[in-house]
Amino acid sequence: MSDLRTDGLRSEAEALDSRDELAAKRKEFVLDETVYLDGNSLGALPANVPGRLAEVMTHEWGQLRIRSWEESGWWTAPERIGDRIAPLVGAAPGQIVVGDSTSVNVFKALVAAVRMAGEGRDEIVVDATTFPTDGYIAESAARLTGCRLLPAAPGDVPGVLGERTAAVLLNHADYRTGRLHDLPGLTAAVHAAGALVVWDLCHTAGALPVGLDAHGVDLAVGCTYKYLNGGPGSPAYIYVREDLQPRFDSPLPGWNSHAEPFGMRPGFEAADGALRGRVGTPDILSMLALEAALDVWDGVSVDDVRAKSLALTDFFLRCVGAYVPMGRVESLTPAAHAERGSQVALRCEGAGDVMRRLVEQGVVGDFRAPDVLRFGFTPLYVSFGDAERAARVLAETLG
């Protein structure tokens, strides 16, 4: 495909890349010639991580061994790394601990929210469009706490809240479409009903400002292997607002969340602060790989990341509109910036086969059944040239 239209968009991509203040960050990742637009599933490898892991294995584990829990700071890693994630989601230090999976943290947060809500509140509202695991966890939490489960689309949540609402579990962005939900407005609505809110930030942390403290969010959870580039299966995190921490009653008390973990006492006494979110022994190799991966955020403004994210997705949608034959794809991602995360979802006939063919040609996104092509835009390493090439290859594949 080569004509005035494509030449113009390629030239525009080059111009945009030349002015991109985040472009230098690409050098801090291990990248090849493919266009990698699947960072909303698994982020790219930061270049400093292999060396850090080698040091952990050969020196801290290989030589210091058990001494590394103290001498290498292994024991304090969950809260130390939590404090590094905190500014990326708009939280002050001392409110986030890293560990376990997102699913486990959703369970801890949701059950604890119901317990904090108090007597007479026996309903849990869950995002009806949620990632399936969150829904499974919500069902289990409802059974455990004796609550009634009420699924509702995020926009309909204010209408189902009432005096019996205990907790609300919501996703900041829809994993299928990339639609961004109104965290400030929905949080305020939940609080007005006297309930607590739990936000799942998996598809927004590291891609756009979240503002947990500014908007008074009660609890939040998220993974670290998408836009935070922590690696496959890297540990998740849980945020507990500071004033709620004394009341945070985890359904999974473990020796790591005990006030005296090495006292080995039969009775449980919760630690102070966000440490109550810990459970068992931290996964140190994954934990320290994540800590090293977070170095790419040094000197980066989340506001700048958001600005580039919107510019990238705008440009990609323009390229798709210009290149792809009319009627072959339909964008499910909102055009309005306030309603868009950092991905573009396109509905397409035969989407599974189309994505397979795209990957074979060096454009890596992913497919969600039954007919959705997902393209994630990670501003730290995706360029405008990548966006133009992806749209061009998509058009050639469909044409």
Side-chain angles (χ1 to χ4, degrees), residues 11 15 25 72 78 86 96 233 247 313-314 325 338 346-347 351 353 355 372 389-390:
S11 297
K25 282 291 172 180
S72 301
I96 294 178
R247 298 167 51 208
T313 49
D314 277 343
L346 302 177
R347 177 173 285 145
D353 183 59
M355 183 54 69
V372 176
R389 179 182 163 194

PDB file of all heavy atoms in Angstrom, residues 11 15 25 72 78 86 96 233 247 313-314 325 338 346-347 351 353 355 372 389-390:
ATOM      1  N   SER A  11       4.538  10.125   7.080  1.00  0.00           N
ATOM      2  CA  SER A  11       5.286  11.357   7.364  1.00  0.00           C
ATOM      3  C   SER A  11       4.809  12.000   8.655  1.00  0.00           C
ATOM      4  O   SER A  11       5.613  12.506   9.443  1.00  0.00           O
ATOM      5  CB  SER A  11       5.135  12.343   6.199  1.00  0.00           C
ATOM      6  OG  SER A  11       5.690  11.823   5.018  1.00  0.00           O
ATOM      7  N   ALA A  15       6.949  12.724  12.107  1.00  0.00           N
ATOM      8  CA  ALA A  15       6.987  14.042  12.749  1.00  0.00           C
ATOM      9  C   ALA A  15       6.572  13.953  14.207  1.00  0.00           C
ATOM     10  O   ALA A  15       7.187  14.572  15.089  1.00  0.00           O
ATOM     11  CB  ALA A  15       6.071  15.008  11.996  1.00  0.00           C
ATOM     12  N   LYS A  25      12.555   6.604  26.212  1.00  0.00           N
ATOM     13  CA  LYS A  25      12.275   5.474  27.090  1.00  0.00           C
ATOM     14  C   LYS A  25      12.299   4.141  26.348  1.00  0.00           C
ATOM     15  O   LYS A  25      12.487   3.095  26.963  1.00  0.00           O
ATOM     16  CB  LYS A  25      10.913   5.669  27.773  1.00  0.00           C
ATOM     17  CG  LYS A  25      10.949   6.656  28.929  1.00  0.00           C
ATOM     18  CD  LYS A  25      11.742   6.078  30.093  1.00  0.00           C
ATOM     19  CE  LYS A  25      11.979   7.083  31.199  1.00  0.00           C
ATOM     20  NZ  LYS A  25      12.757   6.507  32.320  1.00  0.00           N
ATOM     21  N   SER A  72      19.559  -7.962  52.364  1.00  0.00           N
ATOM     22  CA  SER A  72      19.203  -7.521  51.004  1.00  0.00           C
ATOM     23  C   SER A  72      17.817  -6.907  50.929  1.00  0.00           C
ATOM     24  O   SER A  72      17.339  -6.568  49.835  1.00  0.00           O
ATOM     25  CB  SER A  72      19.286  -8.708  50.022  1.00  0.00           C
ATOM     26  OG  SER A  72      20.585  -9.252  50.003  1.00  0.00           O
ATOM     27  N   PRO A  78       7.626  -6.025  50.018  1.00  0.00           N
ATOM     28  CA  PRO A  78       6.222  -5.750  49.660  1.00  0.00           C
ATOM     29  C   PRO A  78       5.798  -4.305  49.891  1.00  0.00           C
ATOM     30  O   PRO A  78       5.112  -3.713  49.048  1.00  0.00           O
ATOM     31  CB  PRO A  78       5.438  -6.728  50.550  1.00  0.00           C
ATOM     32  CG  PRO A  78       6.375  -7.869  50.766  1.00  0.00           C
ATOM     33  CD  PRO A  78       7.730  -7.219  50.894  1.00  0.00           C
ATOM     34  N   ALA A  86       2.898   3.594  44.393  1.00  0.00           N
ATOM     35  CA  ALA A  86       1.945   4.582  44.907  1.00  0.00           C
ATOM     36  C   ALA A  86       1.827   5.849  44.056  1.00  0.00           C
ATOM     37  O   ALA A  86       0.713   6.257  43.707  1.00  0.00           O
ATOM     38  CB  ALA A  86       2.289   4.935  46.351  1.00  0.00           C
ATOM     39  N   ILE A  96       0.034   0.925  50.167  1.00  0.00           N
ATOM     40  CA  ILE A  96       0.048  -0.163  49.190  1.00  0.00           C
ATOM     41  C   ILE A  96       1.078  -1.209  49.600  1.00  0.00           C
ATOM     42  O   ILE A  96       2.211  -0.873  49.955  1.00  0.00           O
ATOM     43  CB  ILE A  96       0.386   0.357  47.777  1.00  0.00           C
ATOM     44  CG1 ILE A  96      -0.730   1.278  47.266  1.00  0.00           C
ATOM     45  CG2 ILE A  96       0.594  -0.798  46.803  1.00  0.00           C
ATOM     46  CD1 ILE A  96      -0.453   1.881  45.901  1.00  0.00           C
ATOM     47  N   GLY A 233       3.160 -13.046  35.439  1.00  0.00           N
ATOM     48  CA  GLY A 233       2.804 -13.498  36.782  1.00  0.00           C
ATOM     49  C   GLY A 233       3.398 -12.680  37.896  1.00  0.00           C
ATOM     50  O   GLY A 233       3.415 -13.122  39.055  1.00  0.00           O
ATOM     51  N   ARG A 247      -9.207  -0.660  60.598  1.00  0.00           N
ATOM     52  CA  ARG A 247     -10.413  -1.480  60.536  1.00  0.00           C
ATOM     53  C   ARG A 247     -10.328  -2.573  59.480  1.00  0.00           C
ATOM     54  O   ARG A 247     -11.248  -3.385  59.361  1.00  0.00           O
ATOM     55  CB  ARG A 247     -11.622  -0.585  60.234  1.00  0.00           C
ATOM     56  CG  ARG A 247     -11.897   0.473  61.300  1.00  0.00           C
ATOM     57  CD  ARG A 247     -12.898   1.503  60.772  1.00  0.00           C
ATOM     58  NE  ARG A 247     -14.098   0.867  60.211  1.00  0.00           N
ATOM     59  CZ  ARG A 247     -14.848   1.403  59.253  1.00  0.00           C
ATOM     60  NH1 ARG A 247     -14.520   2.582  58.734  1.00  0.00           N
ATOM     61  NH2 ARG A 247     -15.913   0.768  58.799  1.00  0.00           N
ATOM     62  N   THR A 313      -3.640   6.652  20.444  1.00  0.00           N
ATOM     63  CA  THR A 313      -4.891   5.984  20.090  1.00  0.00           C
ATOM     64  C   THR A 313      -5.693   6.817  19.098  1.00  0.00           C
ATOM     65  O   THR A 313      -6.344   6.274  18.203  1.00  0.00           O
ATOM     66  CB  THR A 313      -5.708   5.656  21.350  1.00  0.00           C
ATOM     67  OG1 THR A 313      -5.798   6.820  22.206  1.00  0.00           O
ATOM     68  CG2 THR A 313      -5.061   4.531  22.142  1.00  0.00           C
ATOM     69  N   ASP A 314      -5.660   8.148  19.239  1.00  0.00           N
ATOM     70  CA  ASP A 314      -6.297   9.016  18.243  1.00  0.00           C
ATOM     71  C   ASP A 314      -5.683   8.763  16.850  1.00  0.00           C
ATOM     72  O   ASP A 314      -6.397   8.608  15.852  1.00  0.00           O
ATOM     73  CB  ASP A 314      -6.089  10.488  18.597  1.00  0.00           C
ATOM     74  CG  ASP A 314      -7.095  11.010  19.617  1.00  0.00           C
ATOM     75  OD1 ASP A 314      -8.136  10.357  19.821  1.00  0.00           O
ATOM     76  OD2 ASP A 314      -6.832  12.078  20.202  1.00  0.00           O
ATOM     77  N   PRO A 325     -10.794  -0.773   4.579  1.00  0.00           N
ATOM     78  CA  PRO A 325     -12.034  -0.593   3.804  1.00  0.00           C
ATOM     79  C   PRO A 325     -13.245  -0.395   4.711  1.00  0.00           C
ATOM     80  O   PRO A 325     -13.363  -1.046   5.755  1.00  0.00           O
ATOM     81  CB  PRO A 325     -12.142  -1.906   3.018  1.00  0.00           C
ATOM     82  CG  PRO A 325     -10.736  -2.410   2.915  1.00  0.00           C
ATOM     83  CD  PRO A 325     -10.070  -1.998   4.192  1.00  0.00           C
ATOM     84  N   ALA A 338     -12.242  11.295  27.732  1.00  0.00           N
ATOM     85  CA  ALA A 338     -12.599  11.019  29.131  1.00  0.00           C
ATOM     86  C   ALA A 338     -13.144   9.618  29.324  1.00  0.00           C
ATOM     87  O   ALA A 338     -13.225   9.131  30.455  1.00  0.00           O
ATOM     88  CB  ALA A 338     -13.633  12.043  29.625  1.00  0.00           C
ATOM     89  N   LEU A 346     -11.371  -3.291  18.241  1.00  0.00           N
ATOM     90  CA  LEU A 346     -12.075  -3.264  16.959  1.00  0.00           C
ATOM     91  C   LEU A 346     -12.863  -4.551  16.780  1.00  0.00           C
ATOM     92  O   LEU A 346     -12.311  -5.648  16.920  1.00  0.00           O
ATOM     93  CB  LEU A 346     -11.077  -3.119  15.803  1.00  0.00           C
ATOM     94  CG  LEU A 346     -10.165  -1.889  15.823  1.00  0.00           C
ATOM     95  CD1 LEU A 346      -9.186  -1.947  14.655  1.00  0.00           C
ATOM     96  CD2 LEU A 346     -10.978  -0.600  15.763  1.00  0.00           C
ATOM     97  N   ARG A 347     -14.137  -4.415  16.475  1.00  0.00           N
ATOM     98  CA  ARG A 347     -14.945  -5.592  16.154  1.00  0.00           C
ATOM     99  C   ARG A 347     -14.712  -5.944  14.693  1.00  0.00           C
ATOM    100  O   ARG A 347     -14.724  -5.070  13.825  1.00  0.00           O
ATOM    101  CB  ARG A 347     -16.419  -5.315  16.409  1.00  0.00           C
ATOM    102  CG  ARG A 347     -17.352  -6.470  16.041  1.00  0.00           C
ATOM    103  CD  ARG A 347     -18.772  -6.187  16.474  1.00  0.00           C
ATOM    104  NE  ARG A 347     -18.902  -6.358  17.918  1.00  0.00           N
ATOM    105  CZ  ARG A 347     -19.698  -5.615  18.687  1.00  0.00           C
ATOM    106  NH1 ARG A 347     -20.393  -4.614  18.145  1.00  0.00           N
ATOM    107  NH2 ARG A 347     -19.784  -5.850  19.973  1.00  0.00           N
ATOM    108  N   ALA A 351     -12.273 -12.423  13.650  1.00  0.00           N
ATOM    109  CA  ALA A 351     -11.218 -11.712  14.378  1.00  0.00           C
ATOM    110  C   ALA A 351     -10.079 -12.626  14.827  1.00  0.00           C
ATOM    111  O   ALA A 351      -8.915 -12.227  14.812  1.00  0.00           O
ATOM    112  CB  ALA A 351     -11.823 -10.990  15.589  1.00  0.00           C
ATOM    113  N   ASP A 353      -8.832 -15.337  13.395  1.00  0.00           N
ATOM    114  CA  ASP A 353      -7.944 -15.618  12.267  1.00  0.00           C
ATOM    115  C   ASP A 353      -7.203 -14.363  11.830  1.00  0.00           C
ATOM    116  O   ASP A 353      -6.020 -14.411  11.481  1.00  0.00           O
ATOM    117  CB  ASP A 353      -8.758 -16.179  11.102  1.00  0.00           C
ATOM    118  CG  ASP A 353      -7.882 -16.557   9.915  1.00  0.00           C
ATOM    119  OD1 ASP A 353      -6.988 -17.404  10.093  1.00  0.00           O
ATOM    120  OD2 ASP A 353      -8.080 -15.991   8.818  1.00  0.00           O
ATOM    121  N   MET A 355      -6.258 -11.843  13.742  1.00  0.00           N
ATOM    122  CA  MET A 355      -5.160 -11.573  14.672  1.00  0.00           C
ATOM    123  C   MET A 355      -4.009 -12.541  14.461  1.00  0.00           C
ATOM    124  O   MET A 355      -2.835 -12.152  14.538  1.00  0.00           O
ATOM    125  CB  MET A 355      -5.655 -11.624  16.123  1.00  0.00           C
ATOM    126  CG  MET A 355      -4.586 -11.286  17.158  1.00  0.00           C
ATOM    127  SD  MET A 355      -3.756  -9.685  16.857  1.00  0.00           S
ATOM    128  CE  MET A 355      -5.092  -8.534  17.212  1.00  0.00           C
ATOM    129  N   VAL A 372     -13.425  -9.650  18.748  1.00  0.00           N
ATOM    130  CA  VAL A 372     -12.748  -8.403  19.113  1.00  0.00           C
ATOM    131  C   VAL A 372     -11.233  -8.503  18.924  1.00  0.00           C
ATOM    132  O   VAL A 372     -10.585  -9.431  19.437  1.00  0.00           O
ATOM    133  CB  VAL A 372     -13.068  -8.011  20.576  1.00  0.00           C
ATOM    134  CG1 VAL A 372     -12.277  -6.760  20.976  1.00  0.00           C
ATOM    135  CG2 VAL A 372     -14.560  -7.775  20.744  1.00  0.00           C
ATOM    136  N   ARG A 389       2.043   1.648  11.203  1.00  0.00           N
ATOM    137  CA  ARG A 389       2.341   0.346  10.587  1.00  0.00           C
ATOM    138  C   ARG A 389       1.275  -0.681  10.934  1.00  0.00           C
ATOM    139  O   ARG A 389       0.851  -1.465  10.081  1.00  0.00           O
ATOM    140  CB  ARG A 389       3.717  -0.141  11.044  1.00  0.00           C
ATOM    141  CG  ARG A 389       4.095  -1.509  10.478  1.00  0.00           C
ATOM    142  CD  ARG A 389       5.431  -1.972  10.987  1.00  0.00           C
ATOM    143  NE  ARG A 389       5.620  -3.405  10.794  1.00  0.00           N
ATOM    144  CZ  ARG A 389       6.559  -4.117  11.372  1.00  0.00           C
ATOM    145  NH1 ARG A 389       7.421  -3.531  12.190  1.00  0.00           N
ATOM    146  NH2 ARG A 389       6.670  -5.418  11.151  1.00  0.00           N
ATOM    147  N   ALA A 390       0.819  -0.675  12.179  1.00  0.00           N
ATOM    148  CA  ALA A 390      -0.210  -1.633  12.595  1.00  0.00           C
ATOM    149  C   ALA A 390      -1.488  -1.451  11.785  1.00  0.00           C
ATOM    150  O   ALA A 390      -2.094  -2.424  11.325  1.00  0.00           O
ATOM    151  CB  ALA A 390      -0.497  -1.481  14.092  1.00  0.00           C
TER     152      ALA A 390
END
